[in-house]
Amino acid sequence: MTTQQQDFITNLRASIANNTFVRVTLSKPCQKNADLQKIYVKPAIIRKDLMLTFTLRHQTKDITKNFSIEDGIREIEKYHGETFLIASQFNTDRDWILKAGKKGKFALQSTPPTFTTPPELKHDKQKNHIAKGADYLTELGVTNSKGKVSKDMGDKFKQINKFVEIIAGLVEKADFLQKKSTIKVTDMGAGKGYLTFAVYDYLVNKMNLKAEVIGVEIRPDLIKLCNTAAQKIEFKGLRFEEGYIGNYDLPKTDVLIALHACDTATDDAIQKGIEAEAELIICAPCCHKQVRKAMTKSETLDSILNYGILKERQAEIVTDTIRALLLEANGYKTKVFEFISTEHTGKNVMVIGTKHKRPVDKEKYETEIKKLKQEFGINQHYLETIL
Ligand SMILES: C[S@@+](CC[C@H](N)C(=O)[O-])C[C@H]1O[C@@H](n2cnc3c(N)ncnc32)[C@H](O)[C@@H]1O
């Protein structure tokens, strides 16, 4: 360890001991395009012990880990230099910035404190963007009048919170969205509106942004129920419209959401989002009937297609891979990941496309799609056809 690193750690130990420590931020990843973007380290009391809480900010999610003080300091030492170039230590008396340079050199700089009050040492189990306590949850029956999660609504509650966490990660990173005078969001196949209300609540009530959120749904009973609830709790920029996704005349939209819209309704939604040049397209596909039916037997596939559940999973993988490739081909940087544990829902894959302006080698993606279709004997992928 260099003298600068040692000094940084010595100061950190001292500030934790003196209760002047506010937080450490590890920033500037060594690898360009790294998934792990930043780490925030804060002191917290957990089960009566002073610990260090790490929030690992990835591109689309936050992961929280708690460490004892010594283990936490070792983690900071490990991450700095290896994964991040800058470690900023904020104390109420002095800040310390440690920068990793070329050839293993480090520079330590001291600056006046950014924060002058020490943090509250409470373990913040619920992040402030989490939905708990929000009026709409009670209105939709997720929580009771005392704010307790209703019976049989535990999974839905977890799903809503996870979704809000993902949205929060995306919005916090997307400066251009926050700068818009009104963020326009359309949720296709909104169902009972849980996630539509959640996104509105997060943008307007938690982030203080102006947003116009529309939920599109084919069932008139749900439209009525959701519009009544939105009016009752005065979510003024939220409304629900009856419509069939494939025919819906999508107005200018910044964020297109389609969560668990059945089978090819997801494709219709993606196509509408691409056409409307939405900045973000967020979908969690549901069933994959179209491709499952289109898969024909072949030498390689025979053994898989003989087993229903494996055929189902194979169809899911092929369908969503082609969706991701089509998004890429249309100028969206695309991620596919599991957004909630399978214990809460089996439909847990999320596909997120973020619009970019870089040139795209469309042919490359078309060739990949063609190869996949040939390999799996698929003559048609619905999204490809409608695009
Ligand atoms: C499984 S629910 C999901 C609801 C909500 N997005 C969620 O994740 O909680 C799917 C909803 O999409 C609606 N839906 C399916 N196909 C649709 C279509 N083509 N146009 C409009 N709504 C559709 C269904 O009526 C249903 O309410």
Side-chain angles (χ1 to χ4, degrees):
M1 223 200 287
T2 65
T3 328
Q4 290 83 357
Q5 287 172 296
Q6 273 169 6
D7 288 348
F8 183 87
I9 297 297
T10 308
N11 295 336
L12 177 60
R13 278 210 173 85
S15 67
I16 294 173
N18 301 336
N19 291 329
T20 53
F21 173 54
V22 179
R23 73 161 188 245
V24 162
T25 303
L26 294 157
S27 57
K28 208 156 185 217
C30 301
Q31 302 277 340
K32 232 179 149 193
N33 299 327
D35 186 34
L36 182 57
Q37 306 254 297
K38 266 187 188 172
I39 299 180
Y40 301 100
V41 184
K42 289 196 298 185
I45 302 277
I46 298 166
R47 287 190 215 100
K48 299 188 185 151
D49 288 328
L50 180 63
M51 299 190 77
L52 292 176
T53 294
F54 282 55
T55 305
L56 287 85
R57 176 142 302 167
H58 293 78
Q59 299 217 16
T60 53
K61 63 179 177 210
D62 284 352
I63 296 174
T64 305
K65 292 183 182 172
N66 298 312
F67 293 97
S68 68
I69 301 294
E70 279 314 310
D71 286 351
I73 289 176
R74 266 193 292 279
E75 288 292 307
I76 294 173
E77 285 172 359
K78 191 184 85 188
Y79 277 117
H80 183 251
E82 245 177 54
T83 315
F84 292 101
L85 295 173
I86 299 179
S88 313
Q89 183 188 139
F90 301 97
N91 305 308
T92 53
D93 51 355
R94 201 112 204 101
D95 293 350
W96 297 92
I97 319 293
L98 181 64
K99 289 186 183 166
K102 284 184 188 143
K103 298 184 190 157
K105 290 205 167 151
F106 288 85
L108 183 63
Q109 196 189 345
S110 167
T111 55
T114 312
F115 307 100
T116 47
T117 36
E120 255 189 78
L121 290 181
K122 250 188 350 210
H123 180 38
D124 50 350
K125 266 195 194 141
Q126 298 285 350
K127 292 187 198 116
N128 65 358
H129 51 68
I130 278 188
K132 199 167 183 190
D135 288 348
Y136 74 89
L137 290 174
T138 311
E139 204 47 48
L140 299 177
V142 179
T143 52
N144 65 20
S145 55
K146 292 190 181 116
K148 273 194 116 185
V149 179
S150 311
K151 197 168 170 273
D152 300 331
M153 277 298 189
D155 283 349
K156 189 44 91 186
F157 180 67
K158 285 198 178 86
Q159 199 188 18
I160 294 171
N161 279 311
K162 190 69 209 170
F163 176 66
V164 175
E165 199 179 309
I166 291 168
I167 288 283
L170 291 166
V171 172
E172 278 163 27
K173 257 186 22 190
D175 285 352
F176 61 90
L177 269 184
Q178 296 188 37
K179 283 182 194 144
K180 283 188 183 279
S181 56
T182 305
I183 303 178
K184 304 208 169 175
V185 181
T186 310
D187 182 11
M188 300 288 217
K192 208 177 162 190
Y194 300 111
L195 306 172
T196 334
F197 275 86
V199 72
Y200 181 87
D201 183 61
Y202 169 72
L203 292 172
V204 176
N205 299 332
K206 303 280 185 307
M207 291 295 285
N208 277 326
L209 297 166
K210 207 161 170 245
E212 197 180 295
V213 179
I214 305 175
V216 178
E217 170 56 53
I218 204 165
R219 284 179 50 186
D221 54 329
L222 296 179
I223 296 297
K224 194 166 169 220
L225 184 137
C226 290
N227 276 330
T228 308
Q231 276 158 22
K232 186 166 169 201
I233 57 173
E234 295 186 15
F235 276 18
K236 293 200 169 99
L238 172 64
R239 67 175 194 276
F240 292 81
E241 290 180 7
E242 190 181 329
Y244 178 79
I245 301 170
N247 299 339
Y248 185 69
D249 193 7
L250 184 67
K252 169 91 192 81
T253 285
D254 302 308
V255 182
L256 185 288
I257 301 173
L259 301 173
H260 307 132
C262 321
D263 196 17
T264 51
T266 298
D267 297 307
D268 283 325
I270 295 176
Q271 185 267 333
K272 293 278 170 195
I274 293 176
E275 197 179 65
E277 299 183 355
E279 303 283 358
L280 283 174
I281 297 182
I282 304 168
C283 53
C286 184
C287 37
H288 300 75
K289 290 197 202 102
Q290 186 265 312
V291 166
R292 195 179 52 200
K293 284 187 197 141
M295 281 196 312
T296 49
K297 291 199 172 198
S298 70
E299 234 173 80
T300 359
L301 276 182
D302 256 7
S303 38
I304 299 177
L305 301 192
N306 277 334
Y307 301 99
I309 180 67
L310 300 179
K311 183 177 182 183
E312 174 73 43
R313 296 212 174 137
Q314 193 63 56
E316 184 179 330
I317 292 171
V318 181
T319 309
D320 292 338
T321 308
I322 295 180
R323 282 174 178 153
L325 292 171
L326 286 168
L327 276 164
E328 295 277 4
N330 284 281
Y332 287 82
K333 184 168 182 270
T334 304
K335 284 181 190 311
V336 182
F337 58 97
E338 273 189 344
F339 81 109
I340 193 156
S341 144
T342 39
E343 151 201 347
H344 306 301
T345 171
K347 296 170 192 166
N348 62 348
V349 167
M350 188 163 262
V351 181
I352 297 187
T354 309
K355 190 149 186 64
H356 64 80
K357 292 194 170 63
R358 297 183 294 279
V360 175
D361 183 355
K362 240 182 155 164
E363 222 173 273
K364 182 185 102 178
Y365 294 109
E366 280 163 8
T367 310
E368 282 181 41
I369 292 168
K370 199 168 161 194
K371 270 199 303 198
L372 265 176
K373 281 169 60 189
Q374 258 166 13
E375 187 66 29
F376 291 95
I378 300 165
N379 53 10
Q380 193 218 22
H381 185 292
Y382 181 72
L383 178 57
E384 191 186 20
T385 313
I386 57 173
L387 278 169

